């Protein structure tokens, strides 16, 4: 039986805070989500103009992945086909759907229409990091650590898959809720075993009390 893969990095976003592993790296209290995302992007110093055309969900996934892969070049370490992306959330693309509906009262926004599918965030990450492996997006009522651990571990049993970006990217009532992690077959310093108990612990961590 294949052994469990390892979680080598994780990013948690909740309550206007961004945590990378055990460190809060960005915090902006009591600001609109758009401001939070733009200020986070500015702090990162990224140079990716397409960011400003993305919907909020894609921006969240994009920014979390920038942190997740900081100082890593997956395209250089692994072949494009050996890296997967498995994501989930509860709201699908509702945040963008609502904004598109409002725009349609005057003139439907083509820019928003592009993002009225929840899996577009995975596509934006794929383009940015040249990922061509297995990609999937699922919608569930809440973060399901047991299902996520089981599905991602199954993906990782494929001999050609060496790494996978996985987790939860959700927006509800202007609040970001993200747990994004990188799982790999090789063990790195500080790695965690990829299982449901660990994922549940990472998701439920109360950052504001860290």
């Amino acid at each position: 039986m294949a052994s469990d893969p390892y979680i080598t990095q994780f990013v948690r976003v909740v309550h206007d805070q961004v945590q990378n592993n055990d460190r809060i790296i960005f915090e902006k209290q009591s600001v609109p989500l758009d401001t939070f995302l733009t200020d986070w992007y500015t702090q990162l110093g990224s140079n990716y103009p397409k960011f400003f055309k993305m919907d909020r969900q894609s921006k969240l996934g994009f920014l979390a992945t920038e942190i997740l892969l900081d100082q890593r070049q997956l395209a250089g370490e692994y072949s494009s086909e050996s890296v997967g992306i498995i994501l989930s959330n509860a709201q699908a693309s509702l945040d963008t759907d609502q904004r598109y509906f409002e725009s349609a009262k005057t003139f439907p926004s083509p820019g928003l229409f592009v993002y009225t599918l929840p899996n577009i965030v995975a596509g934006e990450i794929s383009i940015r990091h040249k990922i061509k492996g297995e990609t999937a997006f699922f919608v569930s009522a809440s973060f399901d650590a047991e299902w996520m651990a089981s599905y991602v571990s199954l993906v990782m049993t494929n001999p050609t898959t060496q790494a996978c970006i996985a987790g939860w990217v959700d927006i509800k009532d202007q609040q970001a809720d993200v747990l994004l992690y990188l799982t790999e077959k090789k063990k790195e310093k500080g790695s965690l075993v990829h299982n449901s108990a660990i994922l549940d612990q990472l998701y439920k961590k109360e950052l504001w009390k860290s």
Side-chain angles (χ1 to χ4, degrees), residues 71-86:
Q71 300 181 348
R72 297 286 301 270
Q73 293 292 332
L74 286 189
E77 298 175 46
Y78 302 116
S79 68
S80 296
E81 292 77 13
S82 67
V83 181
I85 301 176
I86 307 298

Side-chain angles (χ1 to χ4, degrees), residues 101-120:
F101 177 76
E102 287 301 315
S103 77
K105 291 178 180 179
T106 53
F107 184 79
S109 169
L112 284 175
F113 180 74
V114 171
Y115 290 95
T116 54
L117 288 173
N119 63 334
I120 298 300

Side-chain angles (χ1 to χ4, degrees), residues 22-77:
D22 290 322
R23 241 176 3 109
I24 292 176
I25 59 171
F26 181 70
E27 183 173 10
K28 199 122 189 180
Q29 300 289 344
S30 303
V31 297
L33 182 57
D34 287 324
T35 302
F36 177 81
L37 294 171
T38 301
D39 289 352
W40 181 10
Y41 173 85
T42 301
Q43 186 210 49
L44 287 177
S46 298
N47 182 21
Y48 199 71
K50 191 181 179 184
F51 171 84
F52 296 100
K53 297 180 180 180
M54 297 179 190
D55 72 334
R56 290 190 285 221
Q57 185 163 287
S58 294
K59 287 178 179 179
L60 263 178
F62 171 89
L63 291 169
T65 306
E66 292 294 285
I67 299 295
L68 198 70
L69 303 183
D70 184 38
Q71 300 181 348
R72 297 286 301 270
Q73 293 292 332
L74 286 189
E77 298 175 46

Side-chain angles (χ1 to χ4, degrees), residues 146-161:
E146 185 173 351
W147 179 89
M148 180 65 70
S150 176
Y151 192 89
V152 173
S153 291
L154 179 63
V155 170
M156 293 293 289
T157 62
N158 186 327
T160 63
T161 302

Side-chain angles (χ1 to χ4, degrees), residues 187-201:
K187 186 176 183 179
E188 302 284 351
K189 183 178 179 180
S191 296
L192 302 169
V193 176
H194 179 260
N195 59 40
S196 61
I198 294 295
L199 289 182
D200 191 57
Q201 179 184 349

